[in-house]
Structure formats: C-alpha cells, structure tokens
Amino acid sequence: MLNRRTVLATGAIATVPLATPFGALAQSRKDAVVLAMTLEPPGLDPTAGAASAIAEIVQYNIFETLTKINADGSVSPLLAESWEVSPDLKTYTFKLRRGVTFQNGEPFNAAAVKFSYDRAGGEKSTNKDKRTFANLTTQVVDDYTVVVLNKDIDPDLLFILGQATSIIVEPKSAEGNATKPVGTGPYQLNAWNKGSSVVLAAWSGFRAAPTIKIKRATFRFISDPAAQVAALLAGDVDAFPRVTPRSVAQVQSNPRCQGVVSGSRAKTILAINNAKKPLDDVRVRRAIAAAVDRKAVIEGAADGYGAPIGSHYVPGAFGYVDTTGVNPYDVEKAKKLLAEAGVKTPLELTVTLPPTPYARQGGEVIAAQLAKIGITAKLQNVEWAQWLSGTYGNKNYDLTIISHVEPFDLGNFAKPDYYWGYNSPKFNEIFNQIKNAARPADRSRLLGDAQRLLAQDAVHAFLYQNQWITVANKNLKGLWKDMPVFVNDISALSWS
C-alpha cells in the first residue's frame, strides 16, 4: 500500500509497484510519451489565465523562464546563465544565455525580457502575478545583461521568476500565445484536439536539440475517475501525474509499473465568498469551518492522501505554524455561532464544484457535514471553463472547493478584488511587512501572524495539504519526485 498521511509532512517519497498492464504503446516507441491530465487548459498562455493546467503543458516545454524551479524546490539557471543580488535584496542583475532563439526565428535577448516583464505588470495585463511584476522595473544594459529592480524585498523572487507567469515571450507573437504559443523551449505545439488532447513535437531549432530523447508528447484530458482507471489499465497512457487517488486501489501490485507519492505546496479549501451575505459575518464563516471534519474530508475527497491545515499555508513551508486548533471540528459550537449571527436555519448555500474528482467527492462529504448545523448545501457541478469564468472571474458563488497549488500565494488575501472578497487592512499591513522583512527570523514571525489572522477570520474552511500521486510505466525515467509547481518537464523524460 502507498504510505498516505505521513509522506506530505515529512517530505518523504513513496515509490511502489502498481498494477496496470500498460500496453505496447510505450514499448514500441522509445521517443514518444503519452501523459494524462484531469483538466484541459482554457488556453496555452500562462500569462493570460490562472489555470494551473496551462503550465502543466507549456512550462519548460514550449516556454522558458530566466530561472528554473527544480523538483526539490531549488532554483537553477535557465535562460539566465547567472545572476547577482544586491545587499539590499532589491536589485537583480542577470547575465543571459547566448545563442537562444524563439521558435519563430526571433532572437532572445534583454529586450525580450524587458518586454515580457513590463507586459506582465502593465495596465492591460491579466497575469495572475500582475501585482509582483508591477513592482518591478526592468532595465536593459546590453543584449545579454538585464537589471531587475524590485520596490519590495522579496526573498522568493528568483523562485517566482521560474514560475509559468514569468515566461519570456517574443514581442511580435505574444498576443497569439493562447492558441499559437511561441517560446524558446525544446517543444512546439503540434496539434490541439479540443476536448481530447494536446500534442507537442520536439523543435529542431532548440539550442540543445540532440539531447532531447522524447520527440513527441501527447497530453490526454481525462477528468472522470473511472475513465482514468480504464486508460491506465488499457495502457492508453504512459504516465498520469496527479491521478485521482481513488484510481490507485485498482492498479496495485504489478511490478511492471511505478507509483510516486509527492509532497506539494497545494492547499485544498472550501472557499467562502466573503463579500456575500450572510458569509460576510465572521461568525457564519467560523460556523462553517467548525462544521467541517477535515479528517473525514481527506478520506472522502482524497482517499486519505493529505494533511489537515488550518490556514492557507502548509507543513514544511518556511514559517509554518499549526493553526488547525483555531477552528476545530465542533458541531455544537457551529450551531451556536449561527444563532449568534441571527441566521435562521435552514440556510441554503450553493457549493460550486469544478470537475476535479477531489471537488466532486469532497462536495458530497461537506454537504452532509453542513446539514448537521442547519445549512442546506446545494451542490452545483460545473465544467472547468465555467468555474474559471463564473466563480473565479465573476465571483458568482457562495462556496466552492478548489486546490490552490501556487507555493507563494498568501498575497492573494491582500487583493480586495480577488474572487474571495476578503478585505482586511490588518492582513494587508502584515503582508506588506512580510514583503519588506530582510531578516529570516522577522519574516518567519510575520508569516505566522498572517496564518493565524486568516484562521481567526475564518476566511475559508481550510481543508488539507494535497499529496499528488503519479502512476507510470516503470521504464519511464525522469518523473518529478516532488511537485513544488505544476509542470511536466518532458525534456527530462526518457525510456530505459
């Protein structure tokens, strides 16, 4: 059996044999791979949308960044060969890699870096990290030297510059990247069969093309858990990163296959629309949080693969404090809080559920729990595009279940226009201090203060830290052992 609860908190990795015959597909083509994903991305430009599924296809494959985030969370050079950081931690001087071109033949240089960062922070930007880039000033020294000035101190900037929101785009083609992506990476878009798959093909013009072992990568979209199992058993896919945990029990015990349980920085939450009545009352939000039995949700939504969290931060992250005791499971307390808030039960709330299995399964569990305190939870299943436009974009929801996978996303609570509708001057002050804290000890203390405030404000019912499971043919090498960010680095894969 896979080791479930202990892996995430300790950072350990479990690799075990899993049962699936995996057909002859992988065996016959040593230069091709088929991967499966739960969600299809709405587009292929990670600077234009928040869906993590975009980066799962394009990051480090089509598009590249100045720095590269590795599986262990470390940062190494990519399009930047090296960098220097000033003593005040606000000035970054990057030496860029020479001999790099974009896939349309245009040169990669400092001007492209400036264009990309200025665009990401510009007035018309829809980049989800727009706030970060708006604080940056990028200066071209020469074609292969660029200086980035940050208004704030951000010890995580080199990591952020390796995320998908920080891709370097080619100015002439940038506006078309959603459907015709042009990057500097080892792969190009070969085909996008909407509703079915995306196919990438190795780019012959890549600077290190001879080192790329996988020449063709197909991403198949399979959201239904039963269909995921069927695809694995039939050998239709070679690897399924972040497969639904419920699939594992049906594919155990075959020595020809491998399973990897990975730690993550993801936070699965029952998100609450703080701007809607009666959810704008902290007592109501605390009642919802107290009605939720996290352990039962982890069992029901994630088949036990997860660790309880009490705030928007996870065990193992710098500055983590355990806040699970702030809003513990307590049905009677939840009833009293609703009464104190003057809420007449039954209170009907809609829980909007994206198509991910953890959300659909978790919705059933949470609805039953909320019923015990007089809240009638109406489950509303929506497709991913509907969730992105209606829930995330238009803030049209009461409650929703979602995993936020970004490692450094506390700043979203300082955005009054974010889809949560949370607006706290006290949190904003703390977060501003975090950004400008040069001493690690001060930063750690402030991070603890931020976590405790979010828990006390019951901004959401914080559920669990995710553990991701990858099921793959045992002969496929180079799979990430941890997942600090959602990527599928195809150039690292090979067949033994």
Side-chain angles (χ1 to χ4, degrees):
M1 289 293 292
L2 293 178
N3 184 5
R4 302 196 293 184
R5 300 171 187 80
T6 59
V7 176
L8 197 61
T10 62
I13 300 300
T15 303
V16 299
L18 295 178
T20 167
F22 279 95
L25 174 66
Q27 303 302 321
S28 61
R29 292 209 52 192
K30 294 294 186 180
D31 63 348
V33 68
V34 179
L35 293 92
M37 293 171 50
T38 299
L39 297 174
E40 180 175 12
L44 297 178
D45 181 0
T47 72
S52 60
I54 304 173
E56 291 187 62
I57 292 175
V58 304
Q59 189 175 5
Y60 305 147
N61 296 325
I62 296 177
F63 295 112
E64 295 181 302
T65 43
L66 291 191
T67 64
K68 183 172 185 178
I69 301 166
N70 303 305
D72 62 359
S74 63
V75 175
S76 58
L78 189 55
L79 287 176
E81 289 187 329
S82 63
W83 52 80
E84 294 180 0
V85 183
S86 64
D88 66 358
L89 305 181
K90 290 187 176 183
T91 303
Y92 295 74
T93 303
F94 293 94
K95 293 294 184 180
L96 305 182
R97 190 179 298 276
R98 297 171 182 264
V100 177
T101 59
F102 287 96
Q103 292 160 355
N104 62 355
E106 295 294 323
F108 161 74
N109 51 31
V113 176
K114 177 174 174 56
F115 172 84
S116 299
Y117 290 178
D118 288 352
R119 175 175 178 264
E123 183 178 342
K124 296 181 180 180
S125 172
T126 56
N127 192 309
K128 69 184 182 67
D129 286 335
K130 176 180 178 178
R131 181 171 178 163
T132 295
F133 289 101
N135 282 336
L136 303 182
T137 300
T138 307
Q139 300 174 346
V140 174
V141 177
D142 56 48
D143 279 352
Y144 299 104
T145 307
V146 65
V147 173
V148 176
L149 306 172
N150 196 355
K151 292 180 182 177
D152 301 318
I153 295 171
D154 188 349
D156 302 316
L157 185 63
L158 291 172
F159 187 104
I160 292 170
L161 295 184
Q163 295 185 145
T165 52
S166 303
I167 59 168
I168 306 304
V169 299
E170 195 281 307
K172 297 177 182 177
S173 59
E175 294 307 311
N177 278 337
T179 56
K180 297 179 180 179
V182 174
T184 57
Y187 295 93
Q188 288 179 296
L189 177 65
N190 179 269
W192 186 355
N193 306 302
K194 292 292 180 70
S196 176
S197 64
V198 165
V199 181
L200 304 184
W203 174 43
S204 60
F206 181 61
R207 58 188 178 273
T211 67
I212 304 301
K213 295 181 172 61
I214 300 296
K215 304 301 182 183
R216 182 182 178 88
T218 301
F219 294 85
R220 290 189 55 200
F221 311 123
I222 310 173
S223 61
D224 180 70
Q228 292 179 2
V229 173
L232 288 167
L233 294 176
D236 292 338
V237 298
D238 300 311
F240 204 136
R242 298 169 290 277
V243 71
T244 303
R246 194 155 292 182
S247 306
V248 176
Q250 300 182 55
V251 289
Q252 281 180 312
S253 306
N254 192 316
R256 290 178 295 173
C257 310
Q258 60 177 313
V260 180
V261 179
S262 301
S264 81
R265 294 294 176 90
K267 290 78 57 178
T268 296
I269 62 175
L270 175 65
I272 301 174
N273 191 338
N274 286 231
K276 291 187 72 172
K277 292 185 178 299
L279 303 174
D280 59 342
D281 189 322
V282 68
R283 294 169 296 185
V284 176
R285 298 197 301 272
R286 286 173 180 164
I288 291 171
V292 174
D293 181 349
R294 297 184 183 99
K295 292 182 179 178
V297 174
I298 293 170
E299 288 295 334
D303 285 67
Y305 293 92
I309 56 173
S311 187
H312 205 76
Y313 219 66
V314 297
F318 175 76
Y320 169 78
V321 294
D322 184 355
T323 54
T324 53
V326 175
N327 292 306
Y329 176 52
D330 190 333
V331 172
E332 294 307 314
K333 178 183 177 182
K335 292 178 180 178
K336 291 177 182 178
L337 285 166
L338 286 181
E340 289 175 13
V343 172
K344 294 182 180 180
T345 56
L347 169 65
E348 184 172 304
L349 296 173
T350 299
V351 184
T352 304
L353 302 173
T356 48
Y358 72 81
R360 299 283 170 89
Q361 294 164 195
E364 298 287 345
V365 176
I366 288 175
Q369 294 178 350
L370 292 179
K372 295 179 181 179
I373 66 167
I375 294 179
T376 301
K378 179 184 176 183
L379 302 182
Q380 181 182 56
N381 293 342
V382 298
E383 294 306 310
W384 186 228
Q386 292 175 283
W387 190 94
L388 288 170
S389 62
T391 306
Y392 181 82
N394 295 327
K395 310 176 185 67
N396 183 23
Y397 76 104
D398 296 328
L399 309 171
T400 186
I401 299 176
I402 193 71
S403 287
H404 280 263
V405 303
E406 303 90 343
F408 307 112
D409 57 354
L410 276 179
N412 288 335
F413 292 89
K415 300 175 181 177
D417 58 344
Y418 202 63
Y419 81 102
W420 299 327
Y422 177 67
N423 189 0
S424 167
K426 185 176 181 181
F427 181 87
N428 296 346
E429 180 183 351
I430 293 173
F431 188 70
N432 187 59
Q433 291 173 3
I434 290 172
K435 291 191 301 178
N436 290 283
R439 294 177 64 246
D442 293 336
R443 187 174 174 82
S444 178
R445 173 180 53 80
L446 290 163
L447 284 167
D449 292 343
Q451 294 166 63
R452 282 184 283 267
L453 179 59
L454 296 179
Q456 291 160 7
D457 283 350
V459 183
H460 307 302
F462 299 100
L463 302 175
Y464 60 92
Q465 178 189 25
N466 302 65
Q467 290 172 288
W468 306 119
I469 303 166
T470 296
V471 176
N473 187 302
K474 77 167 187 178
N475 294 320
L476 187 61
K477 307 300 181 184
L479 294 166
W480 275 31
K481 296 295 191 294
D482 270 314
M483 297 181 189
V485 289
F486 269 25
V487 301
N488 295 296
D489 189 357
I490 304 301
S491 65
L493 299 180
S494 63
W495 290 102
S496 61

